[in-house]
Amino acid sequence: APTEPKKLGRRRSVTSVSAECSQEPVEPKEPGRRRAAANASSTKLSRYTQQHRGRQRIHRALLRKLDFEFQSEADMLVDPEEADSTEVRRHILVRELMTTVQQVGYAELGESDSDMQPSLSAMTAWDQYNKIAAHSDSATLLGQIPISTSSLLICELNFMRAPQNYHRRFENIVQVWDSCSAQGRPIASTAVFSMYLRALNMLGRHQMVLSKVARWCEPHDDKKRVLPISMMRQLILAYFCGNQPAKAMDLFFYIKSAPEYHQRITPHIYATVLRGLLQTKHLPNQDLYILVEDLLDLLTQPAYDAGPRTGMLNEILQASYKFDNIALMTYVFERFLARGIAINNTTLGIMLRSSCGSNSDVRDIHSLYKTIMASDLARVRMSEHVFATFITAFVRAERPDYALKVVYDLLAHECWNQGVWHLHELFAYYADTSMAARALDLFRLVDEDGVQMTWRVCTCVVSALSRGGQISEQFDPQSADIDTLLTMGAVYGSEGHADQALDVFTELNSRTTADPLVFALIAIKIHQMISTYAERTSTGFRFEPTSSGLRSEHDLQMATSCLSTTMDKLFALDMCIHQDVFHHAISAFILARDNEKSQHTYDRMVQIKQMGPTSHTFNVLLRAAMRSWGVDAAFDMFEQLRANSGPVHSITANVLIHGLFEAQQPERALDVYAYLVGRPTPLVNHTGFTEFLTPVPCDTYTFALLIRGLVRADLVKEAAVMFEDAFSLLPQVPRQLLETFISALEEAGLFDVAAACLKRYSKRVECAQIEAEELKYMLAQANNAAPNCLPLSYFAYLPETSHDHE
């Protein structure tokens, strides 16, 4: 109540208030802060309010009625003998509902007080209504709720934008309406009645819509009611959904021809009719095209701004896609652009989803792309992601010429931000199809702008040069240009001509160039040569005079010397290059057992290039040490990793576990597994660390290695415990893992144990596979959250002393 209450006279009737609301009224006087907030927001309405002026008018009309209820109660408190006690003394829950609904209404208009709760929503008001419905005296309390409050609650539920409660809100609207009708206090507002009809339609109660409207249309005071356009829209929707398209079209044509609806027809009527015709397939596309043109004539009138026009376009496009009418979808998109109606990101998303799918015709994709690029309204909405989608679609349709045209348009577009991730598909296609010249030309085209190339682009270009290049008998390294040297070096390296490849790499090192492709090519090819040589020597391969690749320790020293020269040149240049170049170099030096060069390269990578090691860095080192120095050296590196709480990738752990079982060290293999999952296991008294890391997801191969290795080591009980552990750590336990367990037991001659395990775990594996489908999405989200980069302090340094295994 006001601080200085005045006697404001008798309470006005609801009829007079309704008459006030039907006119263009002067804003009622609002108390205190809300009036100041309303005055401030009148100059700056919210974006939602500006786009939905019809909703704004409905909100204001209902809020005026609710404000009148509050004002009337304040009047009665001033003059108690004139008040009806059953109306004034409302229950506290009812008063709270009235206040909440009022605050939600003003919040939707952008006129809420600054100190109001920011979390208020239509569902907040509905929760308050539920408290009243669940009260022991709910019949009395529901009768105390004013009709204006119920109307505004239905309005807020109808216009709410929360997607998680989309269908539930329609059930709530029906419940509020039916509650008012059951108490003999039906809501008389035609706008609220239209919302009620919409809720019935959304719930699939189309026959009830027809019966409710028929009852509403009964003569009142010997006058036939004229239904508002919003009710007519719900009637049309009910006829279409009730499989009566002929009646729906008759009603639509009546609306178009009737004088009382001539100025009241809205674009939503056309959208409802088009959606119904798409659903029922009642008319051919030629008739739908005529309706689209009529809709465009209506939308291009000054009464509609850009927001409703684009929203209507998206609604029709979505309906066309849903009911598989791509021809209408294309026609609507082209005609809306031709009439100057702007699009947004949602429009492009709908069109891309329909045209750039896995089974789409390349002609449809190309036609859509030309339509977008030919329109200024559509071209300005293009982004790198949209260009990348078209590039990927053309590449998968095996039209790299179209994809290359998209690349040229992207490089000339203002959205390009010097990134090359969207070109990965095109470079990969060139690599798979051995198009060396095109891959190199595209690399040079992008490299001219000083863009830092990703490692995937570099590897794709090197792969394309290796597959598509040809050896020339008249090739002279000293007189050749850079691109020719790159091609010849890639071809020589891939075909095993180590001497010629090293000559080409030496010539590239002598050239004054800062080409990132040069460093990537030398690092990749020399790493491949040294890796092949290390594999041959570890398996006792006997080199013949005709053997390809590196054939002796002298060749190995020549390769490491060439790679060392390349790294010296790279560290002397002030240029950005991908860290995987250094990873390949360090791995190559470790495979060559040259610890001094590997340590030196690692130091300069961290100190000069300021590239702290990542988890990928250490995984590269561990795998290389495993192959070169042996199990003991690799496990020593693992011990340093554990001392610094560094992460281990599952692939690296698999390599280490396999090597430890081959060296007949199952205890160490279990120790690696315990550290991998980030917790002790029942098999190991694990006290190696006090703080556990986030567990790394183990793969099926990890458990297969462990189970087979434990069975072969005569640790059958431990293998059974490991199989049990797989149910809690794997997204699903595949049938192949059980078969691996059974086959390992049978190979060891334990046929009875194998039969018992098959009987025990067969049903459980089948149930786990069914449950895994339901949890697949959540597990994928959890796996994507794992970090792949950690600070330098988390990693062990390379061993300071070299390991001699001669």
Side-chain angles (χ1 to χ4, degrees):
T3 53
E4 296 182 1
K6 297 181 180 180
K7 187 174 180 179
L8 300 178
R10 287 187 174 273
R11 180 178 179 181
R12 293 172 292 175
S13 64
V14 178
T15 307
S16 62
V17 177
S18 302
E20 277 189 41
C21 296
S22 62
Q23 303 171 0
E24 275 308 321
V26 180
E27 286 292 331
K29 200 168 185 178
E30 297 176 314
R33 292 173 299 173
R34 184 174 292 117
R35 185 176 183 184
N39 293 335
S41 63
S42 61
T43 57
K44 184 180 180 181
L45 293 175
S46 66
R47 176 183 173 186
Y48 170 76
T49 302
Q50 292 174 357
Q51 293 182 354
H52 303 282
R53 292 194 175 92
R55 300 183 182 184
Q56 179 189 4
R57 288 193 295 270
I58 297 173
H59 268 110
R60 289 194 181 280
L62 295 175
L63 277 169
R64 280 196 296 269
K65 295 181 180 181
L66 186 56
D67 288 342
F68 174 72
E69 294 284 347
F70 278 105
Q71 187 65 43
S72 299
E73 290 196 5
D75 296 348
M76 294 175 190
L77 291 174
V78 174
D79 193 4
E81 58 270 12
E82 296 183 356
D84 187 347
S85 59
T86 59
E87 293 185 359
V88 177
R89 296 178 182 176
R90 304 187 194 273
H91 195 275
I92 185 172
L93 292 177
V94 177
R95 295 201 301 271
E96 288 178 356
L97 173 64
M98 294 172 64
T99 304
T100 303
V101 171
Q102 186 185 42
Q103 291 177 349
V104 171
Y106 279 108
E108 285 293 327
L109 293 176
E111 300 178 1
S112 59
D113 294 346
S114 58
D115 58 348
M116 279 188 182
Q117 301 179 27
S119 59
L120 283 178
S121 65
M123 293 309 297
T124 308
W126 171 253
D127 292 339
Q128 190 66 33
Y129 184 90
N130 262 342
K131 292 180 182 178
I132 298 175
H135 195 271
S136 58
D137 194 15
S138 58
T140 304
L141 299 187
L142 290 173
Q144 294 182 8
I145 300 176
I147 293 298
S148 57
T149 301
S150 300
S151 301
L152 188 55
L153 177 58
I154 291 176
C155 177
E156 299 299 341
L157 291 170
N158 181 74
F159 292 144
M160 67 178 293
R161 290 160 283 172
Q164 63 271 20
N165 298 304
Y166 186 79
H167 289 285
R168 176 186 167 192
R169 59 176 175 164
F170 298 119
E171 298 176 355
N172 301 342
I173 290 173
V174 173
Q175 181 177 342
V176 175
W177 179 278
D178 291 344
S179 175
C180 293
S181 301
Q183 298 165 12
R185 304 182 305 135
I187 300 175
S189 170
T190 55
V192 178
F193 183 61
S194 299
M195 300 174 194
Y196 171 64
L197 295 179
R198 182 198 178 204
L200 292 176
N201 269 325
M202 297 303 294
L203 294 174
R205 306 172 188 176
H206 310 297
Q207 192 61 39
M208 188 178 295
V209 172
L210 302 178
S211 62
K212 293 288 184 182
V213 173
R215 189 177 306 170
W216 183 279
C217 293
E218 292 177 357
H220 181 70
D221 296 336
D222 298 331
K223 294 182 180 179
K224 187 177 180 180
R225 289 186 175 182
V226 177
L227 295 182
I229 198 68
S230 57
M231 287 191 194
M232 300 294 276
R233 179 189 175 193
Q234 297 304 322
L235 268 178
I236 292 174
L237 180 59
Y239 279 130
F240 274 122
C241 294
N243 200 21
Q244 302 181 56
K247 290 186 177 181
M249 293 306 299
D250 291 342
L251 187 57
F252 172 69
F253 289 130
Y254 168 75
I255 294 174
K256 291 188 64 176
S257 60
E260 58 267 25
Y261 293 111
H262 183 65
Q263 298 296 330
R264 299 166 62 186
I265 192 168
T266 64
H268 293 288
I269 293 291
Y270 283 94
T272 303
V273 171
L274 284 170
R275 184 180 182 87
L277 292 174
L278 286 169
Q279 180 179 356
T280 58
K281 296 179 174 57
H282 182 64
L283 294 178
N285 275 357
Q286 296 299 326
D287 295 333
L288 300 184
Y289 296 159
I290 298 174
L291 291 176
V292 170
E293 294 298 333
D294 293 343
L295 172 61
L296 284 170
D297 292 338
L298 183 61
L299 277 176
T300 50
Q301 294 179 5
Y304 302 98
D305 54 15
R309 294 171 181 173
T310 307
M312 193 60 56
L313 168 62
N314 294 342
E315 183 177 349
I316 299 174
L317 291 178
Q318 185 66 29
S320 303
Y321 175 75
K322 179 179 179 180
F323 298 109
D324 198 24
N325 195 332
I326 306 302
L328 177 65
M329 190 177 187
T330 304
Y331 178 83
V332 169
F333 183 72
E334 293 175 353
R335 291 303 302 155
F336 269 67
L337 287 178
R339 298 289 286 268
I341 295 180
I343 66 173
N344 56 18
N345 295 334
T346 303
T347 312
L348 287 177
I350 298 172
M351 297 303 298
L352 291 175
R353 184 173 60 177
S354 65
S355 300
C356 298
S358 57
N359 299 323
S360 300
D361 191 344
V362 67
R363 291 172 295 183
D364 296 336
I365 304 174
H366 192 232
S367 176
L368 173 62
Y369 182 75
K370 291 194 300 183
T371 302
I372 293 175
M373 298 305 294
S375 172
D376 293 337
L377 294 171
R379 188 172 61 252
V380 74
R381 303 298 305 184
M382 291 288 282
S383 64
E384 280 193 305
H385 294 275
V386 179
F387 279 111
T389 302
F390 278 111
I391 292 172
T392 302
F394 287 134
V395 168
R396 291 177 179 175
E398 298 184 354
R399 291 304 302 264
D401 51 338
Y402 289 167
L404 189 60
K405 176 61 171 63
V406 178
V407 172
Y408 283 115
D409 292 339
L410 170 61
L411 298 180
H413 200 274
E414 57 270 14
C415 72
W416 188 47
N417 64 350
Q418 307 290 308
V420 294
W421 60 268
H422 40 270
L423 304 179
H424 289 167
E425 290 286 343
L426 186 54
F427 276 111
Y429 179 82
Y430 287 150
D432 294 338
T433 55
S434 305
M435 295 184 177
R438 292 192 178 183
L440 197 55
D441 291 342
L442 180 58
F443 185 91
R444 296 300 181 210
L445 175 66
V446 181
D447 188 50
E448 288 177 356
D449 294 334
V451 180
Q452 183 178 0
M453 295 297 174
T454 63
W455 184 247
R456 183 178 177 185
V457 169
C458 294
T459 55
C460 287
V461 175
V462 171
S463 178
L465 294 176
S466 302
R467 296 178 180 181
Q470 296 180 356
I471 298 178
S472 175
E473 297 180 357
Q474 301 178 352
F475 169 67
D476 183 11
Q478 295 182 354
S479 60
D481 57 5
I482 294 294
D483 289 349
T484 304
L485 289 173
L486 287 171
T487 304
M488 291 298 101
V491 175
Y492 285 141
S494 62
E495 296 187 1
H497 301 290
D499 296 337
Q500 294 88 335
L502 291 176
D503 291 341
V504 173
F505 298 155
T506 302
E507 180 62 28
L508 285 172
N509 286 333
S510 65
R511 302 289 181 94
T512 305
T513 179
D515 189 352
L517 192 57
V518 171
F519 302 105
L521 173 70
I522 296 176
I524 291 173
K525 289 304 176 182
I526 291 183
H527 181 271
Q528 290 176 354
M529 295 178 187
I530 296 177
S531 178
T532 304
Y533 179 83
E535 183 177 355
R536 287 176 173 179
T537 54
S538 64
T539 57
F541 179 83
R542 184 174 181 179
F543 290 95
E544 301 293 338
T546 58
S547 298
S548 60
L550 304 176
R551 295 185 294 273
S552 64
E553 290 293 330
H554 178 266
D555 292 344
L556 180 63
Q557 292 178 4
M558 293 291 294
T560 56
S561 177
C562 180
L563 181 57
S564 179
T565 303
T566 304
M567 291 296 104
D568 293 340
K569 181 180 178 181
L570 177 57
F571 286 119
L573 294 174
D574 185 16
M575 63 174 295
C576 294
I577 197 164
H578 200 276
Q579 193 175 13
D580 275 338
V581 174
F582 304 111
H583 290 166
H584 274 67
I586 294 172
S587 178
F589 289 138
I590 294 177
L591 290 173
R593 298 181 181 179
D594 193 337
N595 186 55
E596 182 179 354
K597 285 187 175 64
S598 63
Q599 182 74 59
H600 190 50
T601 305
Y602 182 90
D603 289 340
R604 290 190 295 176
M605 178 189 74
V606 175
Q607 297 169 7
I608 297 178
K609 292 300 183 179
Q610 301 295 316
M611 292 182 177
T614 64
S615 59
H616 181 53
T617 307
F618 197 84
N619 289 316
V620 167
L621 304 181
L622 194 55
R623 287 198 297 269
M626 183 73 183
R627 294 179 58 188
S628 177
W629 295 332
V631 175
D632 294 334
F635 194 80
D636 290 343
M637 188 174 290
F638 167 74
E639 292 287 357
Q640 295 184 36
L641 169 69
R642 182 164 61 183
N644 291 272
S645 300
V648 179
H649 195 275
S650 59
I651 298 176
T652 305
N654 293 344
V655 175
L656 188 56
I657 290 171
H658 176 72
L660 290 169
F661 275 121
E662 290 294 323
Q664 297 182 359
Q665 299 178 18
E667 295 81 7
R668 283 185 168 184
L670 290 174
D671 205 17
V672 174
Y673 166 74
Y675 185 78
L676 181 68
V677 299
R679 60 175 174 78
T681 69
L683 308 178
V684 181
N685 184 15
H686 191 73
T687 58
F689 52 89
T690 56
E691 294 183 0
F692 296 97
L693 299 174
T694 301
V696 176
C698 298
D699 54 17
T700 307
Y701 189 58
T702 307
F703 286 96
L705 286 171
L706 288 165
I707 291 171
R708 184 175 291 275
L710 289 171
V711 172
R712 290 179 177 178
D714 200 18
L715 299 173
V716 179
K717 180 180 178 181
E718 288 77 1
V721 174
M722 189 62 60
F723 188 79
E724 289 280 353
D725 220 13
F727 285 97
S728 61
L729 293 175
L730 288 179
Q732 68 177 35
V733 177
R735 180 76 181 180
Q736 291 81 356
L737 185 59
L738 177 59
E739 293 173 354
T740 300
F741 187 23
I742 300 303
S743 63
L745 292 171
E746 291 177 347
E747 290 173 5
L750 303 173
F751 298 102
D752 294 339
V753 179
C757 290
L758 180 62
K759 181 179 180 181
R760 178 177 181 181
Y761 292 117
S762 180
K763 185 65 176 179
R764 187 175 177 185
V765 169
E766 293 178 3
C767 296
Q769 290 177 344
I770 297 175
E771 295 175 357
E773 293 298 327
E774 302 175 357
L775 300 176
K776 185 176 180 180
Y777 176 77
M778 293 185 291
L779 289 172
Q781 294 295 326
N783 291 342
N784 290 338
N788 62 353
C789 182
L790 292 172
L792 174 62
S793 60
Y794 278 42
F795 292 90
Y797 219 45
L798 284 175
E800 296 181 358
T801 58
S802 62
H803 291 72
D804 190 3
H805 290 275
E806 293 183 358

